[in-house]
Amino acid sequence: MLIEWDVRVQTDDEILLKMQTAADLCLKCEKVTADCAVSVCLCDDETIAEINKKYRGIDRSTDVLSFPSVSYPEGKTAGSCPSLLRQEYDDETDAVFLGDLFISVPHMTAQAQEYGHSVMREGVYLLVHGICHLMGYDHMVDQDKERMRKMEEKILSAASVTREPEAREDAVLLDMAREAMKKSYSPYSSFPVGAALRSTDGRVFTGCNIENASFGLTNCAERTALFKAVSEGVLSFDTIAIAARKKAWPCGACRQVLNEFAPDIRILVTWEDHVEEKRLTELLPESFGPHSMDE
Ligand code: THU
């Protein structure tokens, strides 16, 4: 797929590359053999709001807007209309122009945060959703909606992307720990700590330290996150990210509590723009745990 980029808000090359791969997979999954082109504008909220108002009469910003240039017969999509696409062939670009897409980069970033996955994942999702519209898919009635979702899922899984709330990437987990740090209740120490704990099924539980006037009753960020997870029935974890103003490995109590559920958990600590990694086995050698009491 030829993408005519109009990048008005700076976006990582890596994201653009992944979007290109996903666009190619859209044609492949839809079984379109013709060379096709789309124009993709990565813009700010004001621009997308203006376009939304001008062309759709809706006075607000949104995440993605698509303007197909091909009008498909009722119930048909690009893959089932090879001769129609041939008619739309443009000599100059040597491709069939499918239409224009506008993606709001601020929406893309905010939604990535909300779903707990990378900006790349969200960017790819929005692009695939938009291209599906350009290929004739719609989600106005239930039957069409299901067909569109199925095609989106097929393309996303071909591109190894899912929209499940997950944070496979450490960078996302570290950001979630930094966000959780902002919720810290630490009036006595003024030492905010945030934690983001990832379960083996990819869910993320965040926590912050919660202090108490009776100092000993303070709960650390790591244990807040862990107790949230365990109280939701999640008992298996692979990584915990911890953010603080200075380097702060988990305290002894948190090491012991983490050891109960994930004795080999990866621990990432971040402060300023540094990140360090260790395993719990390094921080709590010769530990006492559930197996220590086995016969
Ligand atoms: N703290 C944590 O949240 N995690 C740790 O592993 C070390 C300490 C918090 C507890 C207290 O609110 C503040 O940091 C100062 O000790």
Side-chain angles (χ1 to χ4, degrees), residues 24-32 151 154-156 158:
D24 296 337
L25 288 167
C26 288
L27 295 181
K28 199 168 172 203
C29 292
E30 177 66 11
K31 298 194 170 74
V32 173
M151 180 48 73
K154 187 172 169 186
I155 301 163
L156 292 170

Side-chain angles (χ1 to χ4, degrees), residues 185-186 189 191 193 209-211 218-222 249-251 254:
Y185 175 75
S186 44
S189 70
F191 189 75
V193 184
N209 52 335
I210 306 168
E211 298 189 341
T218 291
N219 205 58
C220 292
E222 299 87 327
W249 294 106
C251 75
C254 289

Side-chain angles (χ1 to χ4, degrees), residues 6 8 39-43 47-48 51 55 62-67 100-104 126:
D6 178 5
R8 300 192 194 173
S39 110
V40 179
C41 175
L42 300 180
C43 58
T47 309
I48 210 163
I51 291 163
Y55 296 102
T62 183
D63 49 2
V64 55
L65 286 177
S66 16
F67 300 95
D100 299 274
L101 286 185
F102 294 83
I103 295 175
S104 150
L126 294 176

Side-chain angles (χ1 to χ4, degrees), residues 68-180:
S69 63
V70 182
S71 47
Y72 302 92
E74 182 73 34
K76 296 264 189 189
T77 57
S80 52
C81 307
S83 51
L84 176 65
L85 290 188
R86 231 173 286 130
Q87 287 167 26
E88 303 287 332
Y89 181 77
D90 172 31
D91 283 337
E92 236 171 74
T93 54
D94 217 8
V96 176
F97 186 62
L98 296 180
D100 299 274
L101 286 185
F102 294 83
I103 295 175
S104 150
V105 177
H107 262 82
M108 180 167 111
T109 315
Q111 283 170 199
Q113 180 82 27
E114 190 184 320
Y115 286 107
H117 58 210
S118 63
V119 177
M120 183 192 288
R121 234 164 246 262
E122 188 60 21
V124 166
Y125 174 78
L126 294 176
L127 180 89
V128 168
H129 183 78
I131 293 180
C132 281
H133 275 306
L134 302 187
M135 298 194 305
Y137 288 88
D138 214 335
H139 46 78
M140 298 304 271
V141 299
D142 280 355
Q143 200 189 343
D144 292 348
K145 193 172 169 176
E146 198 184 318
R147 203 162 65 124
M148 182 166 181
R149 290 276 170 271
K150 263 200 186 142
M151 180 48 73
E152 284 175 349
E153 261 149 43
K154 187 172 169 186
I155 301 163
L156 292 170
S157 82
S160 310
V161 166
T162 64
R163 215 190 186 199
E164 293 294 292
E166 64 172 356
R168 282 279 159 226
E169 297 86 358
D170 287 345
V172 176
L173 201 66
L174 287 160
D175 269 347
M176 293 177 89
R178 292 180 192 114
E179 274 305 304

